[in-house]
Structures are given as structure tokens and as C-alpha cells.
Amino acid sequence: MSEVTKDSLEKILPQLKCHFTWNLFKEESVSHDLEARVCNQIEFLNAEFKATMYNLLAYIKHHRGQNEAALECLRQAEELIQREHADQAEIRSVVTWGNYAWVYYHMGRLSEAQVYVDKVKHVCEKFSNPYSTECPELDSEEGWTLLQCGAKRKERAKVCFEKALEKKPHDPEFSSGLAIAMHGLDDKVRKQDCVGILKDAVELNPHNQYIKVLLALKLQNVNKEAKGEPLVVEALEKAPRQTDVLYNAAKFYQIKGDTDKAIELFQKALESMPNSGYICHQISRCYREKAKQIQDTGYSEVCRNREKFEELSKCAMDYSSKAMEKGLSALYVYSDLIELETECHQTAFNRELPNTERKQLHQGYHNLQQYQGTSEDTPVQHLKGLSLSTKSTEKENMKYQPQDAAENQLPQNTPNSWYLQGLTHKLNGNLWQAAECFEKELGCLLRNSPSGISRFFLPTSELEEEGSERVGQGAESSTLGEPLDS
């Protein structure tokens, strides 16, 4: 046997069909949330699908520099394939062997890498190509892997499953994969087409509860919620601990407006995935919606239910904070609050305001756009050409105010005080004051962010005061849970 060299392997390895050649994600973008999802799938998926997840987990471990752990994952995948797919063990092992070869190559164990290259060659030569082959099982494996790697990969996943179904048009596994990929491509696929594909997948996979919930969501999306809900109920009865079923069932009830049921299901999902920032964010949104329901009844109703309103708002903010602690970006977590501020800014721009107030409004909106990282061609640029009105706006300020203003004014150290005051201003129609309060609330929430984005929202005096406090507190208190990679 000739000596194995790095150069010889480097010519062969890129030809292998496996995770290392599928362009899944950049090394720096492997999120902890993805690893948690994959581990969760391993726990709850049927045994015949677990090998796919072990292969992906091996790739994640490699990117984290944990090559021995990656090899252990590949051993698990190999054993599962031998046990669950004995009649197709060789062809279904091609991806696992390709991953083995790459991991050993990166470890500098070239002879062991060559062993697995030879295994792949032995199988592929039967199909005319020495190191790669077109096969529906391999297309499906790539498709399932892409589905786990984010929404941007769903179009590629769809193509993989369509290729697999051309060879085996009634295969339940391939049909399920296509249905899941299509479900995530709402903007590119006709809704009715997606409903039909999901119905076919349910018929071919009657024991797959996840697809039933996806079908229910799609039926809800085409105004057939009553037909979808029994599918959700059935899926929850048959898979009461399966996280993807719980999460998507919660989304169904969230869209329906049953926020209590949605919170209950999201919290059950969170028990299985305690480090999921996305689930925390969805719970926060549910609490915000419950608070908004009180807000929408009018100012006097908010005053009557102030304690309940503040409790719901606090729960929303608490879960937003948890989402950030678990690695979700601040821009994503506080998107609802940013939408509120943006709405106030944009509505206020259409009103006649005194010169000073309009300048303040321009500055606040400019800060918001800077934070969101938009291009120079923003609404602010278009608004610069507008004349600054100097007309009196007394009528705008003659809104209903509480009889005892001092009694209703929240102390600034009250949790979420700027948020609550912003809602009060918004209810009274004082939109630029509301926007200012929401801006300050964002600054307070993001005060400890390592990125320093709070500077867009807090006045210099408050930032300097905060800096003095942190110096006085000592070094330990300045290292509050830095967010994980998102």
C-alpha cells in the first residue's frame, strides 16, 4: 500500500458527499441553540432518524474543536445505521464515512482518514464514480441536514427532497422532508400547494405528529383553523413531550389568540430545551400580547387593571432578558419595543409639531435607525426635506390626563417604568413623548450590553452616571452574563 499523504487526501476529500462539503455554515456561526436542538432531536426522534442527527452533531463538535467527541457521535451514527437500516447499510453509511475521513484528516491521522476514503470508494465504484454517487438516500440525508441549519437552507433542502422523490415518489421519509421544507417557504410557495403536500405527507406518515402540527398551522394560515385544531390536539395527545410538536402547537394557539394555552405549551417546550432563547422570546411575546389586550381597552381600563398590566409587562421583560442571556440578539429580542417606537415616530412625523419637538423627533428616529443598522437611504433621509412646522399644537396637547398626575407618575426606578410611561403617552396620543420613553426603556434594557448599543438611546448624563456606578461596584459586577454566540 502506497504512503498516504496530505496532498493525496486533499484531492479526494472535496469529492465526498458529507457535511464537510455541503456548505452548511461558517465556523463562527455555529450557535449553541442549534446544538441544543440537535441533541433534543436525538432524544425524541424515532431510532431510524437518529443517525442523521448524530452526523450533524459530529460536525458541530468538530467545529467546536472537540474531535474526539465528534468521532464518538460518528460511532453512534454508524451503529444506528447498521441496526435500523441493515438492508441499506452501505449506501446510508457513505455520509458517515465521509465525515470520519474529514475528522481524521483534521486530526492529522491520515492513514485512518484513508481507511474511510477507501470504504466510500468501495461503495461508489458500484455506481461508476469512485468517490461520489447520485442516490435518493444521500439526497435525503443532505436535505434533512439542511433543514436543521436555518431558514436560508430550506430552498436547498426542498431541491434535495424533490430529487429523491423523482426516484422514489411515494417514499414516506422523502415526502416528510419535502413537506417540512415547503412549510418554511411561505413566500415562494403557493399556500394551497403546501397544504396538499403536507396532507400527502400525513397520509404517508400517520405516526409523524410533527407534520400534523405543520399541516394545522398551514390550514390556519388559509383560514381553515377549525380543521387544523383537531390535528394539534391529536399530536399533543400522542407526543406530549416532543419539543418540536409542543413549540409549533404553541405557535398555533398563539396565532389563534389563546395566549394562556400558548404560554403553557412554550413553557413545556422550554423544559426540554432550557437554553433556547427563541422559546423565551416567544413566551415574552405572549405576555406582551396579554398586556396589549388590556392596553387596547383604553386608558381608564389600564388604570383600573394597573397591577395586572404591570405584572404582565414585567413577565414579558423578564423573558426578554432570559432570551438575551441565552444568546438571542438584542435587536431580535426587543423587536416589539422597537416596532412601538418606530410606529410612534412615523405617526408623529405626519403631525404638525413645534420646531424644537420635530428636531428631537428626527434625532430619536435617527438613533433608532443607527441601532437597527439600516442603510443611509432611510425614512430619516427622506424626511429631511420636509419643512419644520412652527404652528401651535395646543390642540394636540389637550388630551385626557389623569386628575392626579403625580399619583399616576411612575418612579424612574420602577421596573419597566419608561415602557409603562411610553404606553401612557401613546394612549393619550402624545406620540413623540411615547417614542422618547420607549427609546429610554431600550437604553435601560441594553445598558449592560458589551456592544455598547445603549449609547444610541440613553442621554450622555445617564451613561456617565452608569459608568461611575460600575467603577464603584468593582470589576466583578461588570461581567454580567455575556450573551452566547447567536
Side-chain angles (χ1 to χ4, degrees):
M1 180 178 175
S2 60
E3 183 183 355
V4 180
T5 66
K6 195 171 183 181
D7 287 344
S8 65
L9 282 172
E10 285 174 353
K11 291 176 183 175
I12 297 168
L13 290 173
Q15 300 178 51
L16 306 184
K17 283 198 169 187
C18 64
H19 295 63
F20 289 81
T21 59
W22 285 340
N23 189 27
L24 300 176
F25 40 67
K26 295 179 182 178
E27 184 172 349
E28 62 272 15
S29 69
V30 183
S31 71
H32 291 270
D33 190 67
L34 172 60
E35 184 171 354
R37 284 204 315 274
V38 171
C39 290
N40 186 264
Q41 295 272 33
I42 288 171
E43 182 178 355
F44 290 106
L45 280 176
N46 293 336
E48 64 264 30
F49 298 115
K50 288 186 178 183
T52 299
M53 293 301 110
Y54 271 117
N55 266 302
L56 178 53
L57 186 58
Y59 186 60
I60 293 169
K61 295 292 186 186
H62 161 74
H63 273 301
R64 299 211 190 289
Q66 302 168 9
N67 284 319
E68 289 296 342
L71 291 174
E72 178 55 35
C73 291
L74 293 174
R75 280 191 278 272
Q76 295 278 1
E78 201 169 21
E79 288 176 11
L80 282 162
I81 290 167
Q82 293 290 338
R83 187 168 69 242
E84 302 297 330
H85 302 282
D87 56 333
Q88 296 180 308
E90 275 197 341
I91 194 65
R92 284 186 177 267
S93 294
V94 164
V95 170
T96 307
W97 292 339
N99 287 334
Y100 262 125
W102 273 96
V103 174
Y104 278 128
Y105 163 78
H106 283 292
M107 295 174 78
R109 293 160 64 172
L110 304 186
S111 59
E112 288 161 289
Q114 186 65 49
V115 167
Y116 285 96
V117 166
D118 291 341
K119 282 176 174 279
V120 173
K121 183 179 180 181
H122 174 72
V123 174
C124 292
E125 278 182 334
K126 298 175 184 179
F127 301 91
S128 77
N129 190 322
Y131 297 110
S132 182
T133 184
E134 293 298 321
C135 167
E137 285 75 19
L138 296 184
D139 290 327
S140 175
E141 181 80 5
E142 183 178 358
W144 285 114
T145 302
L146 289 165
L147 282 179
Q148 296 297 318
C149 295
K152 292 179 181 178
R153 310 290 191 280
K154 286 191 175 178
E155 183 65 47
R156 283 174 58 196
K158 171 178 167 284
V159 172
C160 288
F161 290 119
E162 285 175 337
K163 280 178 65 180
L165 283 164
E166 284 175 8
K167 302 277 182 64
K168 294 184 177 180
H170 302 295
D171 186 279
E173 179 187 332
F174 307 161
S175 174
S176 298
L178 178 62
I180 294 167
M182 296 279 273
H183 180 266
L185 293 170
D186 277 343
D187 55 332
K188 298 178 183 178
V189 179
R190 286 199 315 146
K191 291 175 183 177
Q192 289 296 345
D193 290 347
C194 193
V195 168
I197 289 166
L198 282 161
K199 283 182 176 178
D200 291 343
V202 169
E203 286 180 16
L204 289 168
N205 301 269
H207 303 299
N208 190 320
Q209 308 309 320
Y210 175 55
I211 297 176
K212 287 178 187 174
V213 181
L214 294 187
L215 174 57
L217 281 166
K218 197 57 65 179
L219 287 168
Q220 186 181 52
N221 198 229
V222 295
N223 301 315
K224 295 181 179 179
E225 186 175 87
K227 289 187 177 180
E229 189 161 8
L231 293 169
V232 177
V233 172
E234 181 184 349
L236 288 170
E237 285 175 356
K238 294 182 177 177
R241 294 177 60 246
Q242 190 172 320
T243 311
D244 51 7
V245 170
L246 289 166
Y247 180 83
N248 285 282
K251 284 173 68 177
F252 180 91
Y253 286 108
Q254 186 179 19
I255 295 166
K256 186 183 177 184
D258 189 345
T259 47
D260 289 330
K261 183 69 174 176
I263 289 170
E264 175 195 336
L265 294 170
F266 278 133
Q267 286 178 333
K268 284 183 179 178
L270 193 60
E271 289 174 10
S272 297
M273 293 185 66
N275 292 318
S276 173
Y278 292 102
I279 297 177
C280 289
H281 177 59
Q282 292 301 332
I283 295 173
S284 172
R285 289 186 64 187
C286 287
Y287 279 117
R288 279 195 202 283
E289 181 57 34
K290 286 171 70 69
K292 187 176 182 296
Q293 287 167 5
I294 296 175
Q295 175 194 332
D296 288 346
T297 59
Y299 185 82
S300 57
E301 197 64 29
V302 172
C303 289
R304 270 198 297 273
N305 292 283
R306 180 165 220 148
E307 188 175 331
K308 180 67 174 174
F309 182 79
E310 290 180 9
E311 179 191 344
L312 292 169
S313 299
K314 183 179 184 303
C315 286
M317 292 298 185
D318 286 347
Y319 273 100
S320 288
S321 297
K322 288 177 183 178
M324 282 184 65
E325 288 168 9
K326 297 174 193 304
L328 214 56
S329 74
L331 185 59
Y332 189 86
V333 169
Y334 293 120
S335 57
D336 295 344
L337 192 54
I338 291 167
E339 284 169 15
L340 268 176
E341 186 184 346
T342 303
E343 176 193 341
C344 291
H345 275 121
Q346 291 176 336
T347 308
F349 273 131
N350 295 324
R351 294 186 173 184
E352 292 181 341
L353 293 172
N355 189 34
T356 305
E357 291 184 8
R358 182 163 282 266
K359 284 180 178 177
Q360 289 174 334
L361 192 60
H362 273 294
Q363 184 58 48
Y365 196 59
H366 176 67
N367 288 345
L368 182 64
Q369 294 292 342
Q370 268 194 286
Y371 170 55
Q372 289 175 292
T374 55
S375 67
E376 290 183 6
D377 186 24
T378 66
V380 173
Q381 300 299 315
H382 299 299
L383 288 161
K384 282 182 179 176
L386 296 177
S387 60
L388 297 176
S389 172
T390 56
K391 294 181 182 178
S392 170
T393 56
E394 260 186 82
K395 290 181 181 178
E396 288 297 326
N397 292 324
M398 291 177 64
K399 302 291 182 183
Y400 171 78
Q401 297 292 340
Q403 289 184 345
D404 188 347
E407 181 181 329
N408 286 276
Q409 185 70 25
L410 288 166
Q412 288 185 18
N413 60 356
T414 301
N416 313 322
S417 62
W418 288 119
Y419 173 67
L420 296 169
Q421 286 179 44
L423 289 177
T424 301
H425 283 306
K426 186 171 182 287
L427 286 165
N428 283 329
N430 302 323
L431 295 177
W432 79 269
Q433 293 100 324
E436 186 178 31
C437 288
F438 294 139
E439 187 173 320
K440 288 181 178 179
E441 179 67 26
L442 276 167
C444 292
L445 289 166
L446 304 172
R447 195 187 292 269
N448 293 321
S449 173
S451 66
I453 55 178
S454 62
R455 72 184 184 278
F456 292 124
F457 305 105
L458 287 176
T460 305
S461 58
E462 289 191 36
L463 288 169
E464 288 173 353
E465 181 183 339
E466 171 67 11
S468 301
E469 287 176 7
R470 293 183 76 173
V471 169
Q473 289 168 351
E476 289 185 14
S477 62
S478 68
T479 56
L480 296 174
E482 290 183 6
L484 303 168
D485 295 332
S486 56

